[in-house]
């Protein structure tokens, strides 16, 4: 983690400070904000900017020892013979500070000016009033400042700049800057919920996470290995912010720590009007309108964390009893109040009906709260309904092993929901599943047997589970319009753990039909919602589609980051998240990490039957290595598997991969495909000359797919070269280069061919590239299943065509 605190999200504030420094009528700037908001960091940046201008001397001091005259500035002043109130002393001090500036403009940075002793405050005010210095002062909101400092902005000599916490985007940016790399969305969400954009808190939480090992970096992405918790230093800082409180203030803070947000009418009914006003003035409590209700909360989530930690179990139970009594008296008027009330009753030790707990768990929008309630329901009744609900919630968060264990004691296997949950959990674990329609169909689909999956679903009633698998199967069959309608029908019903499957089908239908902008907007919104609900399977689905969209667009490093995050979530070989590792492997290969990509594909098929996707990924990696013969064979196998199962999307993907890789593919084309993207891919398969390839490239560009456009244009270059059409070749090369620049340094075989010698045949280029990697003729012969003599003869022909002396010169000539 970086030791330097980067300045993020303060460009507007820094520009304002520069303008203030340059305004002749002003001699001061006051930076005001709450503790931890970054006042000191901005102060130092302003002083650095003033020094960099070359005509100023910047001096930073911190207000200390408020009882000692001139204590804050003593190290800059000479020995004094007179008292601090003496006018001559004041002038002598001012002269000493001017001398320290050496004839340049003096810029004084006073950190925490609220702690200035009266003499120092008077001296700073004197320097500003007499234009002998410019003062940049930081003050904490809600803390009284010396009158001399207050007078600076009251009299118009200084501007006041109020600093707020960072918004979500800038908070995420700061975390990435602190850690020095991309950060998983779940980590950013947790840091946002804890720190609420306060820079100091973000830094301390990130530091505590790296020290404790709960924040780790894998494949260049920071992710969580456990809950993030504030370290001792941050806890002490927050404790100091609370300060000394009275008994009634302590009671109010505990109520809010365990029950916020609370409607103001609840607190007023309890007679807390005065204490509420006091704590709000002290900056510990805030109030805000939520609809027609005025809600009260602690000013920061970390205050609640500290208060809960220092509350004894006995006092916590008492606090929950007070909350229960208060909300029962005023009435639970909102949908969220019911689950909260049940949770408070449980925490207070009050007996609660098991059915009420179950209803609360089913009604909670936060999966973590729902899981706590479901566990309480299991403890209270241990019935099938409670266990099935808990198992569903565990599956929703990717914990199939726990879900299976929860269901083991339940004997009533005839119940529909129980049978579905049990079959789902077993399939996630790779165990023989029970014969349950939607799960069986999902497994058939995951195995590439699209036609069989649709046949399995045909006689079933349209439950949410059936609609989810049907939408995915329609998507796999390239029936994108049908898939979208089915997914929307399912999403209009009751939410459940199958919801991510419906969302995946919806995103797939938009993406694969070529409606990428709509798909990306939907994925971004769904990803944010999934993070807020702490739903990892749903966030994985949305991250996965964001990765797929980025890969299609040629943003391969961005794709790698999203796909890595999605693939890290524990999931089964189920359609909502299947194929992620294969696409991640392709992205890794295209960014030059072929060895890691190969390792990722090892054992990728956990089903008995092979599927097309690993074969497509392996074909890409083979082509990237220069093994076009192997790539061609793998593409053929993938097409055969896809056709056998009726998976027309996979068939088209494999065929189009063959075109992109420059290898031959089996004859025949899938029919009745929906969507503009499929139409352009089919046109690419049929393109027989440079003009047709140019037209395909333009259509890909119109869809917002610069990588595919660049590849088609690059292939047009080769055709024009062969036909001797120099002008067309140059124009196509220019377009291919421009589109490639819109991508993220991607190196596909088609783009590499732009630089490859046109006089070489495909076989010659393949052998030359393998030889350029250092492989011996014997190894190349074994790889391509030809004789060593054939390899040597081809290489001699390559040397002659390229005018090179031997293997040592090949790398520069053919890569």
């Amino acid at each position: 983690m970086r030791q330097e605190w980067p300045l993020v999200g303060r460009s507007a504030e820094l520009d304002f400070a520069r303008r203030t420094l340059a305004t002749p009528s002003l001699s001061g700037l006051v930076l005001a904000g709450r503790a931890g908001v970054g006042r000191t960091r901005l102060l130092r940046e302003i002083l650095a900017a003033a020094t960099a201008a070359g005509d100023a001397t910047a001096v930073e001091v911190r207000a200390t020892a408020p009882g000692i005259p001139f204590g804050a500035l003593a190290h800059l002043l000479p020995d004094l013979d007179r008292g601090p109130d003496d006018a001559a002393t004041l002038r002598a001090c001012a002269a000493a500070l001017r001398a320290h500036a050496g004839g340049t403009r003096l810029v004084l940075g006073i950190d925490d000016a609220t702690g200035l002793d009266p003499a120092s405050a008077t001296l700073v005010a004197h320097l500003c009033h007499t234009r002998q210095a410019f003062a940049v002062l930081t003050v904490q909101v809600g803390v009284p400042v010396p009158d001399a400092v207050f007078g600076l902005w009251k009299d118009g000599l200084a501007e006041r700049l109020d600093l707020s916490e960072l918004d979500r985007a800038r908070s995420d940016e700061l975390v990435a800057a602190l850690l020095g790399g991309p950060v998983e969305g779940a980590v950013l969400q947790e840091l946002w919920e804890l720190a609420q954009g306060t820079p100091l808190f973000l830094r301390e939480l990130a530091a505590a996470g790296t020290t404790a090992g709960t924040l780790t970096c894998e494949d260049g992405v920071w992710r969580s290995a456990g809950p993030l918790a504030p370290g001792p230093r941050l806890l002490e800082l927050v404790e100091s912010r609370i300060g000394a409180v009275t008994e009634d203030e302590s009671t109010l803070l505990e109520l809010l720590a365990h029950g916020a947000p609370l409607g103001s009418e609840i607190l007023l009914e309890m007679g807390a009007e005065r204490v509420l006003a006091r704590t709000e003035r002290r900056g510990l409590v805030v109030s805000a309108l939520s609809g027609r209700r005025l809600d009260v909360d602690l000013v920061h989530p970390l205050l609640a964390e500290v208060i809960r930690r220092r509350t004894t179990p006995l006092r916590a139970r008492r606090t929950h009893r007070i909350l229960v009594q208060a909300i029962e008296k005023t009435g639970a008027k909102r949908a969220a109040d019911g689950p909260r009330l049940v949770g408070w009753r449980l925490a207070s030790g009050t007996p609660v009906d098991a059915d009420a707990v179950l209803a609360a768990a089913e009604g909670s929008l936060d999966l973590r709260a729902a899981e706590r309630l479901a566990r309480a329901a299991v403890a209270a009744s241990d019935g099938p309904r409670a266990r099935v609900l808990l198992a569903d919630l565990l599956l929703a968060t990717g914990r199939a092993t726990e879900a299976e264990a929860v269901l083991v004691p339940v004997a009533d296997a005839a119940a529909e929901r129980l049978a579905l949950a049990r079959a789902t959990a077993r399939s996630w674990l790779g165990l023989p599943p029970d014969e349950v329609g939607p799960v069986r169909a999902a497994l058939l689909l995951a195995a590439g047997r699209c036609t069989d999956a649709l046949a399995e679903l045909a006689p079933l009633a349209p439950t949410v589970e059936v609609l989810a698998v049907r939408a995915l199967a329609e998507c796999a069959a390239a029936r994108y319009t049908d898939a979208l309608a089915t997914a929307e029908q399912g999403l209009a019903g009751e939410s459940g753990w199958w919801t991510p499957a419906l969302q995946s089908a919806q995103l797939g239908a938009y993406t694969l039909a070529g409606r990428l902008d709509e798909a990306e907007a939907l994925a971004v919104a769904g990803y944010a919602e999934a993070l807020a609900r702490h739903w990892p399977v749903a966030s994985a689905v949305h991250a996965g589609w964001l990765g797929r969209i980025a890969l299609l667009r040629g943003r391969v490093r961005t794709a790698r980051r999203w796909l890595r995050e999605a693939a890290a979530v524990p999931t089964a070989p189920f359609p909502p998240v299947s194929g992620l590792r294969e696409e991640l492997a392709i992205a890794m290969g295209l960014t030059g990490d072929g060895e890691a990509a190969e390792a990722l594909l090892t054992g990728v098929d956990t089903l008995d039957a092979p599927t097309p996707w690993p074969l497509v990924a392996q074909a890409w990696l083979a082509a990237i290595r220069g093994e076009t013969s192997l790539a061609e064979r793998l593409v053929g196998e993938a097409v055969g598997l896809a056709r056998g199962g009726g998976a027309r999307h996979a068939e088209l993907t494999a065929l189009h991969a063959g075109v992109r890789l420059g290898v031959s593919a089996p004859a025949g084309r899938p029919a009745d495909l929906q969507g503009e993207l499929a139409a352009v891919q089919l046109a690419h398969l049929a393109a027989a000359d440079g003009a047709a390839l140019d037209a395909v490239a333009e259509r890909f560009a119109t869809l917002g797919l610069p990588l595919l456009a660049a590849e088609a244009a690059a292939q047009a270059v080769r055709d024009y070269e062969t036909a001797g059409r120099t002008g067309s070749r140059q124009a196509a090369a220019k377009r291919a280069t421009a589109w490639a620049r819109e991508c993220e340094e991607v190196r596909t075989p088609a783009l590499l061919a732009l630089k490859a010698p046109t006089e070489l045949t495909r076989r010659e280029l393949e052998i030359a590239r393998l030889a350029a990697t250092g492989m011996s003729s014997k190894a190349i012969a074994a790889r391509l299943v030809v004789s060593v003599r054939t390899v040597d003869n081809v290489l001699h022909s390559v040397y002659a065509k390229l005018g090179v002396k031997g293997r040592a010169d090949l790398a520069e000539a053919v890569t």
Side-chain angles (χ1 to χ4, degrees), residues 474-476 478-485 508-509 512-513 649 652 674-675 678:
E474 289 167 342
C475 208
R479 290 161 44 187
Y480 306 125
T481 304
D482 300 337
L484 190 58
L512 303 176
H649 164 60
L652 178 60
Q674 298 173 349

Side-chain angles (χ1 to χ4, degrees), residues 56 66 105 109 136 143 154 158 232 358 406 427 490 502 545 583 624 730 747 750:
R105 185 187 191 190
V136 184
V143 179
K154 185 190 70 172
L358 274 171
V406 165
S427 67
L502 289 161
W545 279 108
E583 298 210 47
I624 290 168
Q730 291 174 342
R747 291 167 58 87

Side-chain angles (χ1 to χ4, degrees), residues 311-487:
T311 304
T312 66
L314 187 63
R315 194 170 175 98
R317 177 165 286 194
R318 168 182 170 269
T319 299
H320 284 104
R321 284 199 186 110
I322 296 173
L323 287 168
V324 169
Q325 293 166 1
I327 203 166
E328 284 179 340
K329 190 172 183 179
T330 57
K333 300 174 182 176
R334 295 189 179 183
D337 289 342
R340 287 206 304 162
L341 179 57
V342 171
W344 293 341
R345 284 176 176 152
L346 290 169
S348 69
T350 305
V352 186
D353 180 70
D355 288 340
V357 180
L358 274 171
E362 291 168 340
S364 177
L365 294 178
D366 188 312
L367 265 68
R368 293 190 299 193
E371 182 184 334
R372 288 194 298 270
L373 291 167
R375 289 189 184 278
V378 169
S381 69
D382 201 21
R385 180 184 166 199
R387 285 189 172 271
V388 169
L389 175 60
L390 178 56
D392 280 347
L393 291 166
L394 292 168
L395 287 170
T397 50
R399 290 174 288 167
T401 303
E402 293 181 59
E404 169 72 1
V406 165
L407 293 171
V408 165
V410 185
D412 185 10
E416 185 178 345
R417 282 194 64 199
L418 171 60
L420 183 62
R422 177 169 282 153
T424 303
R426 290 179 64 80
S427 67
W428 276 44
L429 296 170
L431 301 172
D434 299 321
E435 295 295 317
V436 178
V439 174
R440 178 175 170 78
L443 289 171
L444 289 169
L445 180 57
R449 296 165 59 185
C450 184
T451 303
D452 292 342
L454 285 167
E456 182 78 27
L457 294 166
L460 301 180
T463 63
V464 67
E465 299 85 6
V466 169
L467 290 171
V469 183
R470 179 177 296 153
L472 288 164
E474 289 167 342
C475 208
R479 290 161 44 187
Y480 306 125
T481 304
D482 300 337
L484 190 58
T486 302

Side-chain angles (χ1 to χ4, degrees), residues 406-745:
V406 165
L407 293 171
V408 165
V410 185
D412 185 10
E416 185 178 345
R417 282 194 64 199
L418 171 60
L420 183 62
R422 177 169 282 153
T424 303
R426 290 179 64 80
S427 67
W428 276 44
L429 296 170
L431 301 172
D434 299 321
E435 295 295 317
V436 178
V439 174
R440 178 175 170 78
L443 289 171
L444 289 169
L445 180 57
R449 296 165 59 185
C450 184
T451 303
D452 292 342
L454 285 167
E456 182 78 27
L457 294 166
L460 301 180
T463 63
V464 67
E465 299 85 6
V466 169
L467 290 171
V469 183
R470 179 177 296 153
L472 288 164
E474 289 167 342
C475 208
R479 290 161 44 187
Y480 306 125
T481 304
D482 300 337
L484 190 58
T486 302
E488 289 175 348
Q489 181 185 351
L491 290 169
E494 183 181 352
S495 175
W497 94 261
W498 286 82
T499 297
L502 289 161
Q503 293 171 327
S504 185
Q506 184 184 47
L507 290 166
Y510 278 123
T511 301
L512 303 176
R515 299 164 64 179
L516 270 70
D517 290 339
E518 294 171 86
E520 190 165 17
L522 194 64
V524 167
Y527 178 72
E529 181 184 1
L531 290 178
R533 293 189 64 185
H534 307 288
W535 196 344
V537 172
S539 64
V541 163
H542 290 89
W545 279 108
L546 286 169
R548 290 178 172 111
I549 293 166
L551 190 58
L552 276 171
R553 293 189 190 276
R555 301 198 298 262
V556 287
R557 295 195 179 278
T558 301
R560 179 170 172 166
R561 172 249 183 274
W562 282 117
L563 292 168
R564 170 64 75 182
E565 177 175 335
V569 175
T571 55
F574 253 37
V577 286
S578 65
L580 289 175
R581 281 195 289 176
E582 293 91 336
E583 298 210 47
L584 175 58
I586 293 172
M588 293 169 76
L590 294 177
T591 52
D593 202 353
E595 288 187 13
E598 294 281 1
L600 188 67
L601 288 179
T602 302
V604 74
D605 258 329
T606 56
L607 298 169
D608 293 335
T611 66
W613 302 114
L615 295 171
V616 172
Q618 288 160 3
W620 269 97
L621 297 180
I624 290 168
R625 293 193 304 268
E627 299 179 56
T628 51
S629 298
L630 175 59
E632 184 172 295
R633 177 172 65 80
L634 291 166
V635 165
E637 291 178 12
V639 171
L641 277 175
R643 283 179 180 168
R648 290 186 293 173
H649 164 60
E651 180 187 352
L652 178 60
T653 300
L655 287 168
H656 194 233
V659 173
R660 295 175 68 188
L661 299 176
V663 302
S664 299
R669 301 289 182 263
D672 300 324
L673 304 182
Q674 298 173 349
E676 178 63 15
L677 177 56
V680 185
Q681 288 174 311
L682 288 171
H684 196 181
L685 295 176
D689 56 34
L693 288 166
D694 259 343
V696 166
E698 291 289 351
R699 290 176 71 182
F700 276 134
T702 301
L703 287 175
L705 301 170
L707 175 58
L708 298 181
E711 288 179 327
Q715 291 169 339
V717 169
R718 302 285 291 187
D719 187 84
Y720 288 137
E721 181 76 29
T722 303
R725 297 175 58 181
T726 305
S728 297
R729 178 197 178 283
Q730 291 174 342
K734 184 176 180 180
R735 286 193 296 273
T737 302
W739 280 319
R741 286 198 186 110
E742 295 181 34
C743 306
E744 293 176 353
E745 300 178 10

